[in-house]
Amino acid sequence: MRVLAAEVKNHLNTEVEVKGWVQAIRTGGSIAFIDLRDVSGHVQCVVAKKENASIFEELRTLSRESVIEAKGKAVESQAKQGYEIQVNKFKILNKSLAPLPLGVVDMVDSDIETRLENRFLDLRKPKILSIFKVQDTISRAVRQYFHQNGFIEVRTPKIVAAATEGGTELFPVKYFDRSAYLSQSPQLYKEIMMSAGFDRVFEIAPAFRAEEHNTTRHLNEFTSIDIEMSFVDDEEAMRVLEEVIKVSSKMVIEENSKELELLGITSPKTDYSFKKISYAECVKIANDKGIKVDDGEDLSTPALKAIGEGLNEFYFITRWPRKLKPFYVQPFDEKYSRGFDLQFGEVEITSGAQRVHNPEILIKNLEAKGLNVESFEFYIKAFQYGMPPHAGWAIGLERLTMVLLNLQNIREATLFPRDRTRITP
Ligand code: AMO
């Protein structure tokens, strides 16, 4: 039976079989040392010429990153790990070409373009694999939280007829003889689900944004963790968000200590305070620190840097001006809204809000934003036959991964990033 490299130590003095990639190989006159790597780690395999005569010559020219299987006895040894496999049966399953376009174990760092170009090799690096093991934990933690707290998982269409987050960031698609778009957000559908009486829904799915700018924080396709809840306000939505971030970072710390260590995170932070700072206060903080922000103007990256400076923390920005938030955000008063963002430093992790639930206000807001009310008819209709008050938010999974792991580029948190210039691999 196949044993993972990391589990070999639990099978000492018995026969084991391992399968994986040749991370390194050293051959001498009568013995070959192969460092075999798989998803769990690596293990040294010792192949003696006398027991594997037929294959031994082939090993002399075997290229790194070829796929092999080896059977033999696991024994304590002088190897770095303190044990090794004394191979009695060895097979090459598939050879790798050489030279490699990207080294897997080399100490030199390649540039991100070369890495993404050869992503399958890049992802073989234990450190890079660690990022996605952590991301898996985050999505498992949020899913578990949602299911324990009465949320129903839904799947909404990704081919849509109307924009939600601003008309310029849409990817058009040809839909037979009509025009359609890739969905920027499940916003309209998750709200309709409140009218449908589902009470609490969540969705973890791709969202598409035709962002022109190629930055270290923007992707053209990202994973949106969306929720919507009935009969709650913005305060309750923020409380749930705080809990979701806390349970996911807690689960990462509990389950990914090995990965965190590989990623250089030795003492992960556990005690976030989730301070709430109103937009008006933010403007004042930025201006006091010499970053000019006019009242009512969006907060620029330098302004957000100034506000987040010294916090090294998640914090909310609340009470955004109505004119900076989308049409579906519930007004707080004439000037401000019940929309909020969750930030970590200058990185925005989440946007959310209590929503408008009154159809007349909704129509007025759409008109005020210069949107075509007709194309929102299917959505407005859901408000005209009994729509409960509701609130919700969306977390960008890659952004959350990025800040929890202190990554400098969002592409690091995406298997196959789609950016301004990249659609392959
Ligand atoms: P918003 O547009 O702020 O809000 O998006 C929500 C969150 O998604 C992430 N995000 C992105 N991540 C990577 N690349 C991008 N181009 C990108 N754009 C957004 C961010 C952001 O905070 N409908 C609302 C949410 C709601 O109110 O429920 C919305 O889509 O982490």
Side-chain angles (χ1 to χ4, degrees):
M1 210 194 46
R2 182 182 171 214
V3 167
L4 288 174
E7 287 163 12
V8 170
K9 61 175 179 293
N10 306 324
H11 298 268
L12 291 183
N13 302 314
T14 64
E15 285 281 311
V16 295
E17 183 182 30
V18 288
K19 300 181 193 225
W21 287 259
V22 175
Q23 179 158 287
I25 179 163
R26 258 183 316 127
T27 43
S30 60
I31 205 159
F33 295 99
I34 297 173
D35 200 11
L36 176 145
R37 185 192 65 248
D38 65 18
V39 72
S40 69
H42 63 112
V43 63
Q44 173 162 293
C45 300
V46 184
V47 187
K49 187 174 178 177
K50 66 175 191 311
E51 286 192 58
N52 299 271
S54 61
I55 206 157
F56 201 81
E57 281 315 306
E58 255 193 275
L59 289 188
R60 292 191 194 281
T61 54
L62 184 62
S63 42
R64 284 192 298 162
E65 298 302 319
S66 295
V67 181
I68 55 167
E69 67 178 34
K71 261 189 197 158
K73 195 171 170 190
V75 294
E76 282 185 43
S77 81
Q78 304 292 317
K80 239 195 227 153
Q81 290 169 306
Y83 56 89
E84 64 189 22
I85 300 171
Q86 284 172 350
V87 177
N88 53 42
K89 214 168 158 207
F90 187 91
K91 207 164 147 191
I92 298 168
L93 299 177
N94 225 338
K95 285 185 182 170
S96 165
L97 289 177
L100 296 167
L102 179 79
V104 175
V105 284
D106 305 326
M107 297 310 274
V108 278
D109 277 340
S110 310
D111 62 279
I112 186 103
E113 281 305 308
T114 312
R115 288 178 44 210
L116 293 177
E117 213 40 64
N118 300 284
R119 192 62 157 159
F120 66 96
L121 281 172
D122 189 47
L123 293 165
R124 286 185 197 173
K125 298 174 189 163
K127 189 172 160 180
I128 308 299
L129 167 64
S130 295
I131 297 172
F132 296 95
K133 284 189 178 170
V134 169
Q135 196 169 70
D136 170 62
T137 306
I138 298 171
S139 36
R140 196 149 28 88
V142 301
R143 234 172 241 289
Q144 196 181 62
Y145 175 89
F146 291 147
H147 283 137
Q148 285 168 351
N149 286 276
F151 288 81
I152 300 173
E153 181 168 14
V154 297
R155 293 168 207 288
T156 64
K158 300 305 156 210
I159 301 176
V160 298
T164 56
E165 312 304 318
T168 57
E169 292 178 2
L170 282 164
F171 282 116
V173 286
K174 239 178 90 192
Y175 195 74
F176 306 108
D177 52 350
R178 298 161 63 182
S179 59
Y181 307 98
L182 293 179
S183 166
Q184 299 171 301
S185 154
Q187 186 64 38
L188 306 186
Y189 291 95
K190 63 180 184 173
E191 290 195 66
I192 293 174
M193 292 316 292
M194 299 300 100
S195 176
F198 276 42
D199 199 71
R200 292 172 163 216
V201 298
F202 80 97
E203 179 169 13
I204 303 176
F208 306 90
R209 305 272 169 108
E211 313 256 9
E212 288 287 342
H213 36 307
N214 218 7
T215 78
T216 52
R217 290 202 295 278
H218 289 90
L219 294 165
N220 295 109
E221 175 176 348
F222 68 95
T223 306
S224 191
I225 304 174
D226 274 85
I227 71 155
E228 203 63 31
M229 298 185 281
S230 287
F231 307 108
V232 306
D233 62 6
D234 45 340
E235 289 297 328
E236 176 63 5
M238 282 188 270
R239 191 191 64 76
V240 169
L241 177 55
E242 194 176 318
E243 269 187 20
V244 165
I245 303 280
K246 280 182 179 159
V247 297
S248 34
S249 65
K250 186 162 169 268
M251 197 185 274
V252 167
I253 291 167
E254 281 168 5
E255 298 192 6
N256 295 110
S257 56
K258 191 179 125 201
E259 286 75 26
L260 291 175
E261 201 185 307
L262 267 174
L263 291 161
I265 299 169
T266 44
S267 46
K269 202 171 154 80
T270 50
D271 52 340
Y272 298 111
S273 67
F274 293 88
K275 211 168 145 185
K276 286 181 185 143
I277 314 174
S278 70
Y279 165 87
E281 284 173 81
C282 287
V283 170
K284 188 170 176 320
I285 296 169
N287 282 325
D288 286 352
K289 291 192 174 177
I291 312 287
K292 183 148 168 36
V293 182
D294 288 330
D295 185 28
E297 185 193 358
D298 204 359
L299 300 173
S300 63
T301 303
L304 290 168
K305 270 195 178 136
I307 297 156
E309 194 178 64
L311 276 177
N312 186 31
E313 221 330 358
F314 291 100
Y315 62 95
F316 286 104
I317 302 180
T318 60
R319 299 275 180 272
W320 283 82
R322 287 168 61 172
K323 77 176 193 13
L324 293 179
K325 284 286 171 192
F327 61 85
Y328 52 76
V329 173
Q330 174 85 359
F332 176 72
D333 56 21
E334 268 309 300
K335 183 171 172 188
Y336 295 108
S337 73
R338 290 187 180 274
F340 57 84
D341 285 356
L342 182 72
Q343 296 279 140
F344 192 107
E346 73 268 26
V347 185
E348 180 199 304
I349 309 297
T350 311
S351 282
Q354 181 178 332
R355 324 297 191 183
V356 171
H357 56 274
N358 176 313
E360 275 105 61
I361 298 175
L362 189 64
I363 292 167
K364 266 194 205 132
N365 278 3
L366 282 164
E367 284 166 351
K369 299 270 177 194
L371 291 158
N372 178 6
V373 176
E374 251 169 51
S375 59
F376 289 89
E377 240 163 51
F378 71 96
Y379 167 69
I380 298 166
K381 198 171 173 187
F383 287 67
Q384 289 167 328
Y385 298 87
M387 171 65 96
H390 57 284
W393 44 252
I395 300 174
L397 175 62
E398 296 84 359
R399 293 232 183 129
L400 179 58
T401 311
M402 195 181 161
V403 302
L404 288 181
L405 296 180
N406 197 18
L407 306 172
Q408 301 309 309
N409 191 331
I410 195 163
R411 290 163 186 77
E412 298 278 5
T414 318
L415 284 177
F416 301 103
R418 293 292 167 258
D419 63 25
R420 186 71 179 79
T421 53
R422 183 173 289 285
I423 42 168
T424 59

